[in-house]
Amino acid sequence: MFMPVGTVASVKGVPQEVLEELGVEILLGNTYHLYLRPGVELIRTLGGLHRFMSWPRAILTDSGGFQVFSLSDLRKVSEEGVTFRSHLDGSSHFFRPESAIQAQIEIGADIIMAFDECTEYPAERERVRGSMELTLRWAERSKMYFEEHKGEVPWRSFRPTQLACPDEASGPTCSEETQALFGIVQGGMDLELRKESAERTRGIGFAGYAIGGLSVGEPRHVTREIVEATVERLPADQPRYLMGVGTPEEIVDYTNLGIDMMDCVLPTRAARHGLLFTSEGKISIKQAQYASDQAPLDPLCGCRVCRRYSRAYLRHLYASNEILAQVLNTIHNLSFYLDTMRAVRHSISLGRGARFLSEVWSRAKP
Ligand SMILES: [Zn+2]
């Protein structure tokens, strides 16, 4: 599955009812952003993120680790945790594994992530090993804290558990219903460290496993090599989540390697810059060649944008800096990604795997 990114409890420009119509089953929220604004205490008292943003389907929150490392100034890492300054107002904050999990419990997503250190690229091997070991110690602390506090998720007191409980004899009782905690594999661009991180993270034991610390500036073939080597060390009967990738071609390719879950800002961020993914390849809608083009953006796309509007109109909206340009472009790009994943799932259900689709993709490209 592909998870659109809703950083601050919003997929920029797209209301929740449209996301539902597009078939979005799960959104990603960023703990770092939600912690700074509006604050986890507020979200908790309002019943958790699902109620706050009126999103009844699934949500995953990241641990805040990646944003701390990529967005904040003056971060200082110690064994205990990381001190960082808010990118909003410069205020100083401290995240430790326990507080990152606590924040995620209060936000109340369905899937939450262990606190990790995203190793910078490039980095010396000893630095990568040290960072990987720190992430493993933080993974243990994340799990320990989660096990002790997983009953505190805000929606447990809001859900009519008696009514929602189908058959207590056949499975876990509703009162045990809580979040799922995933571990994160690190290890930089070092294949041996990645394998070791995967096995030791698995040893700690999580509901699912993520591959973090990729798409941080390394060449694409390196990303793929790391994913391929790591995914085979993770259990195939549990979710395997590749964080922060990629292009439509890449998400098909990674699915083929055994990845189950992906998230990326690419479809939404590119859309806001007029870069659109289509079955005929990428289109930069700002180009003058589309000024009088009456064709739909993608003739093979059935989304509400392609059914109704022409390339000429989309180009005009973009050139006029209209808000609607961002809205329509985002809806199409998300639709294209979700359609791609639907095609992958269909291909897998037919026993053909995602490789079939990869071949179709490469043939369709000019
Ligand atoms: Zn479309």
Side-chain angles (χ1 to χ4, degrees), residues 223-297:
T223 318
R224 193 183 190 283
E225 211 181 323
I226 297 288
V227 172
E228 194 169 15
T230 308
V231 75
E232 63 186 28
R233 303 290 171 123
L234 295 173
D237 59 350
Q238 286 181 273
R240 296 182 289 194
Y241 164 28
L242 176 56
M243 305 180 87
V245 293
T247 65
E249 294 88 340
E250 284 166 351
I251 65 172
V252 172
D253 187 36
Y254 293 134
T255 307
N256 195 45
L257 296 178
I259 295 295
D260 303 295
M261 304 166 61
M262 283 161 284
D263 76 280
C264 194
V265 294
L266 185 58
T268 43
R269 183 174 291 166
R272 297 196 299 278
H273 292 101
L275 188 64
L276 302 167
F277 298 97
T278 78
S279 57
E280 295 166 351
K282 276 181 287 193
I283 283 182
S284 176
I285 200 67
K286 68 186 83 169
Q287 290 177 4
Q289 59 172 309
Y290 302 118
S292 59
D293 189 339
Q294 295 187 68
L297 176 59

Side-chain angles (χ1 to χ4, degrees), residues 277 297-298 301-307 331-333 335-336:
F277 298 97
L297 176 59
D298 182 350
C301 177
C303 86
R304 56 156 74 192
V305 177
C306 293
R307 284 201 313 268
I331 290 172
H332 165 78
N333 269 2
S335 185
F336 187 78

Side-chain angles (χ1 to χ4, degrees), residues 50-188:
H50 293 86
R51 282 172 69 101
F52 177 53
M53 68 181 290
S54 184
W55 179 252
R57 298 183 184 174
I59 303 173
L60 178 148
T61 46
D62 63 7
S63 66
F66 182 76
Q67 270 74 29
V68 165
F69 291 98
S70 61
L71 287 179
S72 73
D73 300 326
L74 295 170
R75 61 170 194 268
K76 194 165 156 287
V77 182
S78 66
E79 182 63 33
E80 188 53 26
V82 51
T83 307
F84 61 96
R85 280 194 192 280
S86 161
H87 73 292
L88 296 175
D89 61 7
S91 56
S92 183
H93 301 268
F94 186 65
F95 267 0
R96 54 168 65 83
E98 293 79 8
S99 61
I101 299 299
Q102 180 60 35
Q104 292 184 85
I105 290 172
E106 294 190 43
I107 291 168
D110 304 272
I111 301 172
I112 67 175
M113 306 300 298
F115 193 60
D116 63 326
E117 185 186 40
C118 181
T119 319
E120 68 283 357
Y121 173 83
E124 296 291 326
R125 189 162 201 269
E126 278 319 295
R127 157 70 191 140
V128 177
R129 170 166 281 286
S131 175
M132 180 199 84
E133 295 283 357
L134 181 65
T135 286
L136 284 163
R137 292 192 294 275
W138 285 359
E140 302 236 23
R141 285 167 58 186
S142 295
K143 188 184 175 186
M144 192 177 298
Y145 188 87
F146 177 71
E147 291 300 329
E148 286 166 8
H149 297 270
K150 62 186 179 185
E152 297 166 15
V153 66
W155 36 258
R156 281 181 73 158
S157 54
F158 281 88
R159 278 194 185 172
T161 52
Q162 298 307 319
L163 293 174
C165 212
D167 179 10
E168 297 210 352
S170 68
T173 60
C174 288
S175 59
E176 289 170 5
E177 187 178 285
T178 188
Q179 301 169 294
L181 176 67
F182 282 21
I184 304 179
V185 174
Q186 290 288 349

Side-chain angles (χ1 to χ4, degrees), residues 335-366:
S335 185
F336 187 78
Y337 266 66
L338 293 161
D339 280 347
T340 299
M341 287 310 291
R342 269 190 284 271
V344 167
R345 283 194 291 271
H346 182 63
S347 182
I348 290 170
S349 72
L350 296 176
R352 286 189 283 203
R355 191 172 300 280
F356 168 74
L357 206 74
S358 299
E359 287 161 11
V360 172
W361 264 110
S362 55
R363 277 203 301 275
K365 291 281 178 286

